[in-house]
Amino acid sequence: AVRMLRLFRLVRLVRVFAHLPTLPPEVAQFVDLDALHASISVSAWVVAMLLLNHLIACGWYGVGVTVNGVPTWVDVCEQAYALNADQTPGLIYLYVTALHWALTMFTPSSMEIVPANSYERVYCIVTILLAIICFSSFLSSISAAVTFFRQRRQEQVRQNANLVRFLQENQISLGLGSRIQTFLTILNAQANNVIRIHQSDVPQLQRLPAGLKEQLACEVF
């Protein structure tokens, strides 16, 4: 339960990563904030998916070593490993195998490890149902982040192309055109870096009584 709570907290951090701290203007002009936001968002979702698969792998290994009286996937894995290496596999090998199995539940792939008893088959069914829900959410979130980045990049390319075309068609001097492009680049970086929430963007504040609105206005302004 504690590990699942940590996973949910990590997923909530993905939204926090979307709003990076304010960067100095001297640094912001050399950093592609859109690409940085998209990279952090995708990386956070990948880490969350790996952590979830880690928990599933631990549970899969736990089922394999705690069930008695019937063959388990751990027994089958140890027998297959002993045939090739003349020794029993270590804990690291079993964990990596369990993690590999967990990842195959989330992706259209397969491996040689399969349930060997009813308990493991029930665990496998529950994992597949969980994977259908979680993996679709992970995939849609990653796709949304990449699509948003592409749209912002296409819009920037279109605006830059229009600016260059305007300067060329009106025969603007190279020095002036270069200063204009540099200024707009710095201005665009600062605009992307400073994102403030205004009172008009929070409709809930309109429901406050007059006294609270006055106190809020005094502290804000």
Side-chain angles (χ1 to χ4, degrees):
V2 176
R3 291 184 176 180
M4 291 301 297
L5 181 60
R6 291 178 180 176
L7 175 64
F8 293 145
R9 289 179 178 176
L10 179 60
V11 173
R12 290 179 59 186
L13 285 178
V14 175
R15 297 181 178 180
V16 177
F17 287 150
H19 303 283
L20 297 176
T22 302
L23 298 176
E26 297 80 5
V27 178
Q29 60 179 321
F30 299 104
V31 178
D32 191 339
L33 294 181
D34 292 333
L36 185 60
H37 288 172
S39 300
I40 292 179
S41 179
V42 171
S43 300
W45 280 112
V46 171
V47 171
M49 186 172 63
L50 289 176
L51 180 58
L52 177 59
N53 280 271
H54 163 74
L55 299 178
I56 294 175
C58 292
W60 177 245
Y61 174 77
V63 173
V65 297
T66 56
V67 175
N68 298 319
V70 292
T72 64
W73 75 268
V74 175
D75 297 333
V76 176
C77 182
E78 289 178 347
Q79 293 174 5
Y81 189 89
L83 292 176
N84 298 324
D86 295 332
Q87 60 181 355
T88 58
L91 182 61
I92 296 179
Y93 178 82
L94 293 176
Y95 168 75
V96 174
T97 302
L99 182 61
H100 184 190
W101 175 87
L103 290 173
T104 59
M105 295 295 102
F106 282 75
T107 56
S109 58
S110 61
M111 65 175 304
E112 70 278 6
I113 300 300
V114 295
N117 55 66
S118 299
Y119 301 100
E120 294 177 355
R121 197 162 296 276
V122 171
Y123 187 87
C124 182
I125 293 173
V126 173
T127 302
I128 293 175
L129 295 177
L130 180 64
I132 293 175
I133 299 174
C134 294
F135 184 72
S136 59
S137 177
F138 290 150
L139 188 61
S140 61
S141 299
I142 293 176
S143 300
V146 175
T147 300
F148 178 77
F149 167 71
R150 288 180 176 176
Q151 291 176 348
R152 291 290 298 270
R153 178 56 59 85
Q154 291 176 356
E155 179 64 20
Q156 292 179 0
V157 171
R158 185 186 65 82
Q159 292 180 2
N160 292 336
N162 290 338
L163 175 61
V164 173
R165 180 181 176 183
F166 173 83
L167 297 176
Q168 292 178 347
E169 290 181 353
N170 291 273
Q171 299 181 354
I172 305 300
S173 63
L174 182 60
L176 178 59
S178 178
R179 292 196 299 271
I180 291 175
Q181 290 179 321
T182 302
F183 175 79
L184 292 178
T185 299
I186 297 176
L187 185 64
N188 183 59
Q190 294 177 350
N192 291 335
N193 188 34
V194 180
I195 302 177
R196 294 181 57 88
I197 300 297
H198 301 282
Q199 184 174 352
S200 59
D201 299 327
V202 187
Q204 292 88 341
L205 295 178
Q206 302 300 326
R207 303 171 59 183
L208 296 176
L212 288 179
K213 287 184 178 180
E214 292 179 358
Q215 296 179 14
L216 179 63
C218 291
E219 294 194 7
V220 172
F221 301 103

